[in-house]
Amino acid sequence: KEALMTLKEKGYKLIFITARGSDYEFFIDYDYVGVTEEIFKKYNIPYDKIIYRCYPKGLKAKEEKIDIFIDDKEENLDDISKHGIKCIKKVDNLTNKSNYKQFDNWEDILKYILKLEGELNGK
């Protein structure tokens, strides 16, 4: 939450793209929009937009002009990266191999994103 709040304060647009409600996710008849938004509200998670029922995610990420995408699934990152989007993999442990820069905590993800921003801005 703190990392996302810092990014939001720095002017980043936070867009969440989820497969919830799509054919990719096994079918459960529930209010995935209401449940998701209630959790975001309960924990005060900042966001600009949540896109539901989206699988695969790459084309939508490109349409939204996303620069950096964070996900925990290699297959999602594979699809997203083929659209020229920088990908970061959030993992529980760093022992598994990945084609993407991996982090096991949000503090390091934040530092990495801010470092990328500095490099892009010539800092």
Side-chain angles (χ1 to χ4, degrees):
K1 171 182 160 182
E2 289 78 15
L4 294 174
M5 290 179 93
T6 298
L7 291 171
K8 187 72 179 143
E9 289 166 5
K10 289 187 163 288
Y12 283 80
K13 189 172 181 182
L14 303 177
I15 300 173
F16 290 82
I17 300 177
T18 179
R20 284 179 182 85
S22 71
D23 293 336
Y24 172 76
E25 186 182 61
F26 58 90
F27 180 77
I28 298 178
D29 189 17
Y30 72 103
D31 179 14
Y32 54 87
V33 172
V35 169
T36 303
E37 291 179 8
E38 180 61 32
I39 289 169
F40 276 55
K41 183 179 177 183
K42 178 179 178 179
Y43 293 103
N44 198 28
I45 305 297
Y47 68 94
D48 292 287
K49 184 188 247 185
I50 303 173
I51 299 167
Y52 298 94
R53 299 180 53 98
C54 187
Y55 184 84
K57 299 177 181 184
L59 186 57
K60 182 55 78 175
K62 181 180 177 182
E63 289 171 3
E64 292 291 328
K65 297 180 173 65
I66 291 174
D67 297 313
I68 302 170
F69 200 100
I70 304 166
D71 206 291
D72 62 345
K73 291 190 171 90
E74 195 86 6
E75 67 186 67
N76 288 336
L77 297 174
D78 288 343
D79 179 58
I80 292 157
S81 70
K82 73 182 180 188
H83 294 279
I85 298 168
K86 181 84 172 160
C87 292
I88 297 171
K89 188 170 185 184
K90 170 64 175 83
V91 296
D92 291 328
N93 68 61
L94 297 169
T95 59
N96 296 328
K97 291 188 177 194
S98 174
N99 293 321
Y100 307 96
K101 188 77 173 162
Q102 297 186 96
F103 296 97
D104 61 359
N105 66 79
W106 282 97
E107 183 178 338
D108 288 342
I109 290 172
L110 175 61
K111 287 178 189 174
Y112 181 70
I113 290 172
L114 295 178
K115 179 180 173 226
L116 287 175
E117 175 186 24
E119 290 171 1
L120 291 173
N121 294 326
K123 296 180 183 175

PDB file of all heavy atoms in Angstrom, residues 56-59 62 75-87 100:
ATOM      1  N   PRO A  56      -6.138 -12.459 -22.377  1.00  0.00           N
ATOM      2  CA  PRO A  56      -4.832 -12.009 -21.906  1.00  0.00           C
ATOM      3  C   PRO A  56      -4.819 -10.496 -21.679  1.00  0.00           C
ATOM      4  O   PRO A  56      -5.704  -9.779 -22.124  1.00  0.00           O
ATOM      5  CB  PRO A  56      -3.876 -12.424 -23.010  1.00  0.00           C
ATOM      6  CG  PRO A  56      -4.711 -12.611 -24.229  1.00  0.00           C
ATOM      7  CD  PRO A  56      -6.105 -12.940 -23.765  1.00  0.00           C
ATOM      8  N   LYS A  57      -3.773 -10.016 -21.010  1.00  0.00           N
ATOM      9  CA  LYS A  57      -3.729  -8.635 -20.545  1.00  0.00           C
ATOM     10  C   LYS A  57      -2.906  -7.689 -21.429  1.00  0.00           C
ATOM     11  O   LYS A  57      -3.029  -6.476 -21.322  1.00  0.00           O
ATOM     12  CB  LYS A  57      -3.152  -8.591 -19.127  1.00  0.00           C
ATOM     13  CG  LYS A  57      -3.982  -9.379 -18.117  1.00  0.00           C
ATOM     14  CD  LYS A  57      -3.335  -9.355 -16.750  1.00  0.00           C
ATOM     15  CE  LYS A  57      -4.155 -10.158 -15.743  1.00  0.00           C
ATOM     16  NZ  LYS A  57      -3.576 -10.061 -14.401  1.00  0.00           N
ATOM     17  N   GLY A  58      -2.064  -8.228 -22.292  1.00  0.00           N
ATOM     18  CA  GLY A  58      -1.111  -7.422 -23.041  1.00  0.00           C
ATOM     19  C   GLY A  58      -1.713  -6.337 -23.915  1.00  0.00           C
ATOM     20  O   GLY A  58      -1.270  -5.187 -23.883  1.00  0.00           O
ATOM     21  N   LEU A  59      -2.695  -6.681 -24.721  1.00  0.00           N
ATOM     22  CA  LEU A  59      -3.294  -5.712 -25.634  1.00  0.00           C
ATOM     23  C   LEU A  59      -3.954  -4.572 -24.863  1.00  0.00           C
ATOM     24  O   LEU A  59      -3.800  -3.395 -25.214  1.00  0.00           O
ATOM     25  CB  LEU A  59      -4.296  -6.387 -26.571  1.00  0.00           C
ATOM     26  CG  LEU A  59      -4.878  -5.497 -27.664  1.00  0.00           C
ATOM     27  CD1 LEU A  59      -3.778  -4.892 -28.540  1.00  0.00           C
ATOM     28  CD2 LEU A  59      -5.838  -6.299 -28.526  1.00  0.00           C
ATOM     29  N   LYS A  62      -1.372  -2.252 -23.515  1.00  0.00           N
ATOM     30  CA  LYS A  62      -0.874  -1.383 -24.589  1.00  0.00           C
ATOM     31  C   LYS A  62      -1.873  -0.264 -24.875  1.00  0.00           C
ATOM     32  O   LYS A  62      -1.496   0.898 -25.013  1.00  0.00           O
ATOM     33  CB  LYS A  62      -0.615  -2.205 -25.853  1.00  0.00           C
ATOM     34  CG  LYS A  62      -0.078  -1.379 -26.996  1.00  0.00           C
ATOM     35  CD  LYS A  62       0.165  -2.228 -28.223  1.00  0.00           C
ATOM     36  CE  LYS A  62       0.644  -1.363 -29.379  1.00  0.00           C
ATOM     37  NZ  LYS A  62       0.845  -2.154 -30.585  1.00  0.00           N
ATOM     38  N   GLU A  75       3.274 -16.147 -17.554  1.00  0.00           N
ATOM     39  CA  GLU A  75       2.504 -16.142 -18.801  1.00  0.00           C
ATOM     40  C   GLU A  75       1.885 -14.772 -19.076  1.00  0.00           C
ATOM     41  O   GLU A  75       1.821 -14.339 -20.230  1.00  0.00           O
ATOM     42  CB  GLU A  75       1.422 -17.224 -18.794  1.00  0.00           C
ATOM     43  CG  GLU A  75       0.308 -16.969 -17.780  1.00  0.00           C
ATOM     44  CD  GLU A  75      -0.673 -18.114 -17.668  1.00  0.00           C
ATOM     45  OE1 GLU A  75      -0.275 -19.190 -17.206  1.00  0.00           O
ATOM     46  OE2 GLU A  75      -1.841 -17.917 -18.045  1.00  0.00           O
ATOM     47  N   ASN A  76       1.444 -14.086 -18.030  1.00  0.00           N
ATOM     48  CA  ASN A  76       0.913 -12.731 -18.220  1.00  0.00           C
ATOM     49  C   ASN A  76       2.014 -11.782 -18.668  1.00  0.00           C
ATOM     50  O   ASN A  76       1.830 -10.979 -19.578  1.00  0.00           O
ATOM     51  CB  ASN A  76       0.269 -12.209 -16.935  1.00  0.00           C
ATOM     52  CG  ASN A  76      -1.035 -12.879 -16.625  1.00  0.00           C
ATOM     53  OD1 ASN A  76      -1.714 -13.410 -17.501  1.00  0.00           O
ATOM     54  ND2 ASN A  76      -1.398 -12.892 -15.355  1.00  0.00           N
ATOM     55  N   LEU A  77       3.165 -11.876 -18.021  1.00  0.00           N
ATOM     56  CA  LEU A  77       4.284 -11.000 -18.364  1.00  0.00           C
ATOM     57  C   LEU A  77       4.793 -11.276 -19.774  1.00  0.00           C
ATOM     58  O   LEU A  77       5.169 -10.337 -20.495  1.00  0.00           O
ATOM     59  CB  LEU A  77       5.393 -11.135 -17.330  1.00  0.00           C
ATOM     60  CG  LEU A  77       4.982 -10.695 -15.911  1.00  0.00           C
ATOM     61  CD1 LEU A  77       6.092 -11.001 -14.920  1.00  0.00           C
ATOM     62  CD2 LEU A  77       4.588  -9.236 -15.868  1.00  0.00           C
ATOM     63  N   ASP A  78       4.786 -12.534 -20.189  1.00  0.00           N
ATOM     64  CA  ASP A  78       5.177 -12.867 -21.563  1.00  0.00           C
ATOM     65  C   ASP A  78       4.271 -12.158 -22.569  1.00  0.00           C
ATOM     66  O   ASP A  78       4.734 -11.588 -23.557  1.00  0.00           O
ATOM     67  CB  ASP A  78       5.120 -14.379 -21.798  1.00  0.00           C
ATOM     68  CG  ASP A  78       6.232 -15.152 -21.111  1.00  0.00           C
ATOM     69  OD1 ASP A  78       7.241 -14.532 -20.700  1.00  0.00           O
ATOM     70  OD2 ASP A  78       6.088 -16.383 -20.977  1.00  0.00           O
ATOM     71  N   ASP A  79       2.972 -12.188 -22.314  1.00  0.00           N
ATOM     72  CA  ASP A  79       2.013 -11.548 -23.211  1.00  0.00           C
ATOM     73  C   ASP A  79       2.181 -10.031 -23.189  1.00  0.00           C
ATOM     74  O   ASP A  79       2.145  -9.380 -24.231  1.00  0.00           O
ATOM     75  CB  ASP A  79       0.589 -11.933 -22.815  1.00  0.00           C
ATOM     76  CG  ASP A  79      -0.449 -11.269 -23.699  1.00  0.00           C
ATOM     77  OD1 ASP A  79      -0.395 -11.476 -24.932  1.00  0.00           O
ATOM     78  OD2 ASP A  79      -1.291 -10.511 -23.166  1.00  0.00           O
ATOM     79  N   ILE A  80       2.383  -9.472 -22.036  1.00  0.00           N
ATOM     80  CA  ILE A  80       2.501  -8.025 -21.883  1.00  0.00           C
ATOM     81  C   ILE A  80       3.800  -7.515 -22.504  1.00  0.00           C
ATOM     82  O   ILE A  80       3.808  -6.507 -23.208  1.00  0.00           O
ATOM     83  CB  ILE A  80       2.393  -7.650 -20.385  1.00  0.00           C
ATOM     84  CG1 ILE A  80       0.966  -7.943 -19.917  1.00  0.00           C
ATOM     85  CG2 ILE A  80       2.786  -6.208 -20.138  1.00  0.00           C
ATOM     86  CD1 ILE A  80       0.830  -8.163 -18.439  1.00  0.00           C
ATOM     87  N   SER A  81       4.900  -8.216 -22.268  1.00  0.00           N
ATOM     88  CA  SER A  81       6.200  -7.743 -22.756  1.00  0.00           C
ATOM     89  C   SER A  81       6.272  -7.723 -24.286  1.00  0.00           C
ATOM     90  O   SER A  81       6.978  -6.900 -24.864  1.00  0.00           O
ATOM     91  CB  SER A  81       7.337  -8.582 -22.176  1.00  0.00           C
ATOM     92  OG  SER A  81       7.329  -9.882 -22.710  1.00  0.00           O
ATOM     93  N   LYS A  82       5.514  -8.582 -24.949  1.00  0.00           N
ATOM     94  CA  LYS A  82       5.551  -8.581 -26.421  1.00  0.00           C
ATOM     95  C   LYS A  82       4.925  -7.316 -27.006  1.00  0.00           C
ATOM     96  O   LYS A  82       5.064  -7.054 -28.194  1.00  0.00           O
ATOM     97  CB  LYS A  82       4.925  -9.847 -26.990  1.00  0.00           C
ATOM     98  CG  LYS A  82       3.431  -9.938 -26.899  1.00  0.00           C
ATOM     99  CD  LYS A  82       2.941 -11.270 -27.459  1.00  0.00           C
ATOM    100  CE  LYS A  82       1.433 -11.363 -27.377  1.00  0.00           C
ATOM    101  NZ  LYS A  82       0.961 -12.694 -27.728  1.00  0.00           N
ATOM    102  N   HIS A  83       4.301  -6.507 -26.162  1.00  0.00           N
ATOM    103  CA  HIS A  83       3.745  -5.215 -26.586  1.00  0.00           C
ATOM    104  C   HIS A  83       4.686  -4.066 -26.229  1.00  0.00           C
ATOM    105  O   HIS A  83       4.295  -2.901 -26.269  1.00  0.00           O
ATOM    106  CB  HIS A  83       2.369  -5.000 -25.949  1.00  0.00           C
ATOM    107  CG  HIS A  83       1.341  -5.969 -26.442  1.00  0.00           C
ATOM    108  ND1 HIS A  83       0.684  -5.807 -27.643  1.00  0.00           N
ATOM    109  CD2 HIS A  83       0.890  -7.129 -25.917  1.00  0.00           C
ATOM    110  CE1 HIS A  83      -0.140  -6.821 -27.828  1.00  0.00           C
ATOM    111  NE2 HIS A  83      -0.034  -7.637 -26.805  1.00  0.00           N
ATOM    112  N   GLY A  84       5.935  -4.414 -25.853  1.00  0.00           N
ATOM    113  CA  GLY A  84       6.938  -3.396 -25.566  1.00  0.00           C
ATOM    114  C   GLY A  84       6.837  -2.758 -24.196  1.00  0.00           C
ATOM    115  O   GLY A  84       7.394  -1.693 -23.963  1.00  0.00           O
ATOM    116  N   ILE A  85       6.143  -3.418 -23.290  1.00  0.00           N
ATOM    117  CA  ILE A  85       5.941  -2.880 -21.944  1.00  0.00           C
ATOM    118  C   ILE A  85       6.954  -3.497 -20.993  1.00  0.00           C
ATOM    119  O   ILE A  85       7.156  -4.713 -20.989  1.00  0.00           O
ATOM    120  CB  ILE A  85       4.495  -3.162 -21.473  1.00  0.00           C
ATOM    121  CG1 ILE A  85       3.509  -2.459 -22.414  1.00  0.00           C
ATOM    122  CG2 ILE A  85       4.291  -2.727 -20.021  1.00  0.00           C
ATOM    123  CD1 ILE A  85       2.064  -2.883 -22.250  1.00  0.00           C
ATOM    124  N   LYS A  86       7.589  -2.660 -20.180  1.00  0.00           N
ATOM    125  CA  LYS A  86       8.551  -3.111 -19.168  1.00  0.00           C
ATOM    126  C   LYS A  86       7.789  -3.916 -18.111  1.00  0.00           C
ATOM    127  O   LYS A  86       6.761  -3.475 -17.604  1.00  0.00           O
ATOM    128  CB  LYS A  86       9.223  -1.894 -18.524  1.00  0.00           C
ATOM    129  CG  LYS A  86      10.241  -2.216 -17.501  1.00  0.00           C
ATOM    130  CD  LYS A  86      11.547  -2.494 -18.160  1.00  0.00           C
ATOM    131  CE  LYS A  86      12.643  -2.626 -17.128  1.00  0.00           C
ATOM    132  NZ  LYS A  86      13.779  -3.336 -17.649  1.00  0.00           N
ATOM    133  N   CYS A  87       8.303  -5.112 -17.774  1.00  0.00           N
ATOM    134  CA  CYS A  87       7.614  -5.997 -16.847  1.00  0.00           C
ATOM    135  C   CYS A  87       8.443  -6.279 -15.596  1.00  0.00           C
ATOM    136  O   CYS A  87       9.660  -6.431 -15.672  1.00  0.00           O
ATOM    137  CB  CYS A  87       7.287  -7.328 -17.526  1.00  0.00           C
ATOM    138  SG  CYS A  87       6.047  -7.179 -18.826  1.00  0.00           S
ATOM    139  N   TYR A 100      12.076 -12.034 -16.222  1.00  0.00           N
ATOM    140  CA  TYR A 100      11.811 -10.663 -15.817  1.00  0.00           C
ATOM    141  C   TYR A 100      12.500 -10.344 -14.497  1.00  0.00           C
ATOM    142  O   TYR A 100      12.818 -11.236 -13.718  1.00  0.00           O
ATOM    143  CB  TYR A 100      10.295 -10.440 -15.702  1.00  0.00           C
ATOM    144  CG  TYR A 100       9.613 -10.855 -16.970  1.00  0.00           C
ATOM    145  CD1 TYR A 100       9.055 -12.129 -17.094  1.00  0.00           C
ATOM    146  CD2 TYR A 100       9.612 -10.026 -18.081  1.00  0.00           C
ATOM    147  CE1 TYR A 100       8.489 -12.545 -18.291  1.00  0.00           C
ATOM    148  CE2 TYR A 100       9.053 -10.438 -19.275  1.00  0.00           C
ATOM    149  CZ  TYR A 100       8.498 -11.697 -19.374  1.00  0.00           C
ATOM    150  OH  TYR A 100       7.957 -12.108 -20.562  1.00  0.00           O
TER     151      TYR A 100
END
